[in-house]
Amino acid sequence: MAKKNENSMDEIVSLAKRRGFVFPGSEIYGGLANTWDYGPVGVELKNNIKQAWWKFFVKDRDDVVGLDAAILMNSKVWEASGHTAGFNDALVDCKKCRARLRADHLIEDNLDVKVEGKSLKEVTEIIKTNNLKCPSCGKSDFTEARQFNLMFKTYQGVTEEGNNIIYLRPETAQAMFVNFKNVLNSTHKKIPFGVAQIGKSFRNEITPGNFIFRTVEFEQMELEYFIKEEDWQKQFDYWQGEMIKWLEYIGVKKENYSIREHDKEELSHYSKKTIDIEYDFPFGTKELYGLAYRGNFDLTQHQKHSKQNMEYFDTEDNQKYIPHIIEPTFGVDRSVLAVMIDAYTEEEVSTANGKTETRVVMKFNKNIAPVKVAILPLSKKENLSKKAREVFDLVKTEFTSQYDESQSIGKRYRRQDEIGTPYCVTVDFESLDDDAVTVRDRDTMEQKRVKISELDKWLKEVF
Ligand code: GAP
């Protein structure tokens, strides 16, 4: 019977390190808070998710085009977007142990109250009247709440002067708005159409991040879909449906996510409707993705601040207008985490000597599995290695493959199970005579003999 471990993140974090999915950032120097590095297997998983997203939302459609913009943008972008003035978290310090905490987390972890939209005064008051305790030392003695801007600052040029300040982008979205006219003029797309981008974003997150859930450097996959105002509800519902289809496509289980609509106080001032797709992480039900109706706020702001015209001329009804925007937004790292949690399975299996042992297997959807095929010679004997290398050369271009000949075949199967390889191909002594290999299925552990000459075709059929 399959058993899913829901008790903690510990198994996932430990497997991630043991098998090369994710390592702590700068580990040999004691780490750097809220940074993680993707290892040899993790980078394949992450790339597969990004490529699948690009295929699903860009390549397979004729109404969405791509963009890959610079991370560093003119500071005026962030003034126009409202990030310089308003991309803040309210922080409090514990006066006793000096722990610095996000006020919304302190409140929402302890009370059934949403902090979004509340003033600093209200936030301070809620903490005081409810006598909330510091999670580090247990005392209830906090400073007043104050604003802290989440954007990372740096300087362009040789002097660190105020007018040289630039920011690492906190979202990829703004580049799609800033390039709206460039995309329009170079592609002649007609509304409705979208611009999509995958790239790094940076936020100076100060609270512990729960592994790769909340990091200071992360990747987003964002789509800005430009529409006519009157179509907003129809488009919103459509994109909500596409987001659900995407979750199915990468194998996130239905029972583990839900949709939560933002209430009035939580909505950004320009948004008429926003939903979060939330996932049941072991540390709580939290935002995985978002879908927002942003009105025409963004293009209006950029028109005002840049003094460039952002209007669209609609040839269908001879009308000029600033397009409205529906924004489906996805975190790459949260996607990796959700598929890892969903894939993690412990199973009791019988061993050759009649005992049982626990098999840990990552049951990834085949289309995103980091390694598709493992080629395993039964022994290191030269003639077997040679044959196995030939099989590896045959499949490696089409399917991400690993060649592994170290340790016993049982141990190698377990290793491949732990990285979620759908098929292990064993080259044994019989292979030298019959030119066939044994293919083992990750989930059923059933084995099948396949002719080497037919292996490529067989694999194409099962993937
Ligand atoms: N352009 C809209 C926007 O950036 P957001 O809800 O702030 O919206 C979008 O971020 C997505 O980016 C989130 O749903 C989440 O998946 C991911 N994300 C945001 N902050 C993150 C962080 N600190 N670490 C990892 N992923 C993050």
Side-chain angles (χ1 to χ4, degrees):
M1 253 298 272
K3 189 177 80 188
K4 198 165 143 70
N5 193 316
E6 284 158 356
N7 294 336
S8 75
M9 286 288 295
D10 296 350
E11 282 86 355
I12 304 276
V13 178
S14 136
L15 176 120
K17 183 166 180 201
R18 184 168 76 243
R19 292 292 171 225
F21 283 94
V22 180
F23 307 129
S26 317
E27 194 181 13
I28 62 166
Y29 289 102
L32 177 68
N34 296 338
T35 66
W36 296 88
D37 298 338
Y38 285 82
V41 176
V43 67
E44 297 295 341
L45 176 61
K46 192 179 180 196
N47 282 344
N48 289 348
I49 289 175
K50 289 193 284 183
Q51 279 158 14
W53 189 89
W54 198 255
K55 178 171 159 44
F56 191 93
F57 288 100
V58 185
K59 275 186 156 175
D60 285 355
R61 311 181 58 103
D62 70 351
D63 60 342
V64 178
V65 292
L67 186 76
D68 184 9
I71 286 172
L72 301 173
M73 302 180 83
N74 191 312
S75 299
K76 288 180 187 155
V77 169
W78 309 112
E79 279 166 34
S81 67
H83 283 82
T84 314
F87 195 51
N88 298 319
D89 276 341
L91 297 187
V92 288
D93 287 327
C94 170
K95 287 189 194 162
K96 288 282 174 283
C97 74
R98 297 190 181 282
R100 182 157 289 170
L101 306 166
R102 258 176 72 172
D104 57 341
H105 290 176
L106 180 64
I107 294 172
E108 287 169 16
D109 287 350
N110 290 291
L111 306 169
D112 191 18
V113 174
K114 282 268 164 235
V115 172
E116 195 106 10
K118 300 224 178 325
S119 69
L120 286 177
K121 217 169 152 209
E122 286 171 310
V123 167
T124 306
E125 207 47 43
I126 295 171
I127 294 173
K128 234 188 198 152
T129 47
N130 290 286
N131 221 9
L132 295 184
K133 292 190 172 37
C134 169
S136 303
C137 70
K139 295 279 179 316
S140 310
D141 192 5
F142 294 103
T143 58
E144 297 208 333
R146 67 193 185 289
Q147 296 293 11
F148 168 75
N149 194 291
L150 285 174
M151 285 198 293
F152 274 106
K153 248 186 225 166
T154 187
Y155 300 89
Q156 184 167 31
V158 284
T159 54
E160 294 191 1
E161 282 169 14
N163 52 2
N164 290 343
I165 288 177
I166 50 172
Y167 301 94
L168 302 190
R169 68 180 176 204
E171 63 171 13
T172 61
Q174 293 304 322
M176 266 103 65
F177 309 140
V178 168
N179 279 294
F180 171 65
K181 276 294 174 91
N182 281 336
V183 172
L184 193 63
N185 295 337
S186 58
T187 62
H188 298 283
K189 286 277 168 208
K190 297 258 179 292
I191 274 178
F193 77 93
V195 184
Q197 181 169 217
I198 300 178
K200 290 245 171 168
S201 293
F202 303 81
R203 296 182 191 176
N204 201 353
E205 305 275 6
I206 58 126
T207 42
N210 279 322
F211 192 40
I212 52 173
F213 175 79
R214 182 177 294 105
T215 50
V216 289
E217 175 181 343
F218 56 98
E219 274 184 279
Q220 291 182 311
M221 307 183 283
E222 296 199 289
L223 170 56
E224 307 302 329
Y225 202 71
F226 299 97
I227 57 162
K228 253 186 180 166
E229 180 174 11
E230 60 259 39
D231 291 339
W232 82 265
Q233 185 70 64
K234 187 178 88 190
Q235 290 291 349
F236 194 98
D237 295 344
Y238 169 77
W239 285 106
Q240 184 171 326
E242 290 302 289
M243 294 179 85
I244 302 300
K245 280 191 208 152
W246 160 254
L247 286 165
E248 277 166 26
Y249 188 60
I250 57 167
V252 177
K253 294 186 186 127
K254 248 196 181 97
E255 62 269 27
N256 292 342
Y257 67 81
S258 48
I259 289 173
R260 187 180 69 79
E261 186 168 344
H262 285 206
D263 52 34
K264 278 228 160 61
E265 294 86 69
E266 233 185 310
L267 280 178
S268 310
H269 55 286
Y270 50 81
S271 180
K272 282 207 175 74
K273 184 170 178 175
T274 296
I275 57 160
D276 284 348
I277 296 183
E278 297 189 325
Y279 180 84
D280 296 329
F281 292 98
F283 44 84
T285 299
K286 309 229 176 251
E287 176 182 346
L288 175 62
Y289 303 144
L291 174 64
Y293 169 43
R294 301 180 68 118
N296 66 359
F297 173 80
D298 304 282
L299 290 182
T300 306
Q301 282 297 100
H302 287 303
Q303 173 165 294
K304 202 165 118 196
H305 284 252
S306 69
K307 303 194 173 51
Q308 304 288 320
N309 188 304
M310 290 289 173
E311 284 172 320
Y312 171 80
F313 180 66
D314 201 322
T315 46
E316 265 177 27
D317 48 14
N318 278 339
Q319 251 190 359
K320 257 190 189 171
Y321 56 87
I322 296 186
H324 283 231
I325 290 165
I326 302 285
E327 179 194 64
T329 174
F330 308 73
V332 176
D333 311 83
R334 286 188 194 177
S335 305
V336 171
L337 185 54
V339 297
M340 284 189 74
I341 292 166
D342 263 10
Y344 185 90
T345 313
E346 289 179 7
E347 287 177 351
E348 298 297 316
V349 289
S350 327
T351 60
N353 57 12
K355 293 194 174 141
T356 55
E357 64 176 26
T358 304
R359 170 174 97 116
V360 173
V361 52
M362 295 297 274
K363 294 194 171 178
F364 293 120
N365 252 20
K366 283 184 205 165
N367 60 349
I368 57 156
V371 176
K372 307 286 191 232
V373 186
I375 311 296
L376 316 172
L378 199 61
S379 95
K380 276 187 189 162
K381 291 236 163 62
E382 202 184 312
N383 48 355
L384 268 197
S385 295
K386 186 168 171 283
K387 190 92 185 162
R389 287 264 172 214
E390 282 168 22
V391 177
F392 177 63
D393 288 342
L394 204 73
V395 297
K396 70 177 186 207
T397 333
E398 192 83 27
F399 306 96
T400 307
S401 302
Q402 272 193 359
Y403 180 88
D404 186 3
E405 58 179 23
S406 59
Q407 296 187 300
S408 74
I409 190 75
K411 283 198 172 130
R412 282 181 276 164
Y413 279 155
R414 293 289 173 267
R415 274 206 294 271
Q416 295 300 330
D417 285 345
E418 287 200 350
I419 64 170
T421 308
Y423 298 103
C424 286
V425 172
T426 307
V427 179
D428 53 27
F429 290 102
E430 253 184 276
S431 308
L432 300 175
D433 298 326
D434 67 357
D435 267 324
V437 286
T438 301
V439 183
R440 172 189 178 268
D441 183 291
R442 177 195 69 195
D443 299 340
T444 62
M445 291 190 288
E446 274 168 14
Q447 304 198 353
K448 199 175 161 35
R449 204 76 186 156
V450 178
K451 283 267 172 215
I452 293 174
S453 58
E454 286 166 16
L455 184 61
D456 186 55
K457 186 169 154 265
W458 188 90
L459 287 169
K460 278 184 183 136
E461 275 167 16
V462 292
F463 277 106

